[in-house]
Amino acid sequence: MLGVEETIAGTEAAQIPKQRGESLLETAVRYAEERHWDVFPGTWLEAVDGVQHCSCGDTACAAPGAHPAREDWATQATGSATVARRMWQKQPASSILLPTGRTFDAISVPESSGFLALARMERMELTLGPVMLTPARRMEFFVLPGASVKVPDLVRRIGWSPASLDLMVLGEGAYVAAPPTRFGSRGAVQWACRPTAANRWLPDAEELISPLAYACGRDR
């Protein structure tokens, strides 16, 4: 389990090693090369009269600069560092998006529940995968693929109704925005538990669901 110094205190997140000062291109390439995650470029932010807007052109965009730029994004995603470099060279400001349901699923909970769950997991000495903190004030816990199928039944087995908890699983057909992608003026995605050699092997959803469900239940 990562120690407290490896996780965020409050809302300040530790960055993935070597990420500080890196471009989006360099970071996307490293995700593909070092973590073997599929990546694809999303929209980007454009300054208009000093205000940042999403490249999609929608002034009311819900995720400015942090959503797919094309409908066929799933086929565009690549695990090749060479292809990733070529894609970001075309538009270096593109956000970094990672499809879920391939090398990982992501369990998404409210930020407050996430911090409570992290403390509980540390006491239980559980081994975590990477965990992200988003500008939408949610935490996303990386787990092995297949969680989207397992989690509803796992939640019921420990005594909760899935509909009663603010706990979602992002699996096949979904995606997450990865650090250091920015959501307009709302801030950037950050690592709560950064990717390291120690958490290359992801936990199964079953290992984390109890503390996550407990934290979400407490936070209702």
Side-chain angles (χ1 to χ4, degrees):
M1 171 72 189
L2 294 176
V4 173
E5 72 279 1
E6 292 283 325
T7 63
I8 11 182
T11 57
E12 294 298 315
Q15 291 189 319
I16 182 173
K18 296 192 294 185
Q19 185 172 299
R20 188 179 298 277
E22 281 191 325
S23 66
L24 288 158
L25 183 155
E26 292 168 329
T27 306
V29 167
R30 286 207 300 114
Y31 287 153
E33 192 168 56
E34 297 178 13
R35 301 299 295 198
H36 304 295
W37 291 338
D38 282 3
V39 298
F40 67 98
T43 53
W44 56 93
L45 295 172
E46 298 176 332
V48 180
D49 297 327
V51 179
Q52 290 187 322
H53 294 283
C54 186
S55 62
C56 72
D58 182 358
T59 57
C61 181
H67 64 85
R70 43 196 278 185
E71 292 185 3
D72 64 342
W73 62 264
T75 60
Q76 185 188 23
T78 180
S80 165
T82 301
V83 174
R85 181 176 298 279
R86 190 160 58 239
M87 289 195 294
W88 264 270
Q89 283 174 338
K90 294 178 182 177
Q91 179 45 259
S94 294
S95 52
I96 302 173
L97 305 181
L98 314 175
T100 49
R102 299 187 183 187
T103 51
F104 64 87
D105 280 1
I107 301 178
S108 174
V109 300
E111 174 188 292
S112 53
S113 301
F115 280 117
L116 180 60
L118 282 175
R120 191 173 177 84
M121 290 172 185
E122 184 163 346
R123 291 195 298 271
M124 296 169 69
E125 299 186 344
L126 295 179
T127 300
L128 290 179
V131 182
M132 296 193 305
L133 178 63
T134 79
R137 302 187 72 83
R138 297 191 70 83
M139 271 194 194
E140 295 170 345
F141 291 73
F142 286 24
V143 294
L144 290 172
S148 57
V149 176
K150 295 180 180 180
V151 162
D153 195 46
L154 290 172
V155 168
R156 290 188 196 95
R157 279 177 15 201
I158 56 177
W160 294 96
S161 162
S164 70
L165 301 179
D166 187 2
L167 183 154
M168 302 180 295
V169 184
L170 301 168
E172 188 173 358
Y175 63 89
V176 295
T181 295
R182 295 192 66 82
F183 280 66
S185 61
R186 290 154 59 189
V189 186
Q190 304 177 74
W191 290 114
C193 294
R194 59 193 179 185
T196 66
N199 64 19
R200 180 173 294 277
W201 304 106
L202 299 177
D204 190 276
E206 190 167 2
E207 299 172 58
L208 306 187
I209 200 62
S210 179
L212 285 172
Y214 170 81
C216 289
R218 280 278 303 271
D219 207 29
R220 287 188 301 176

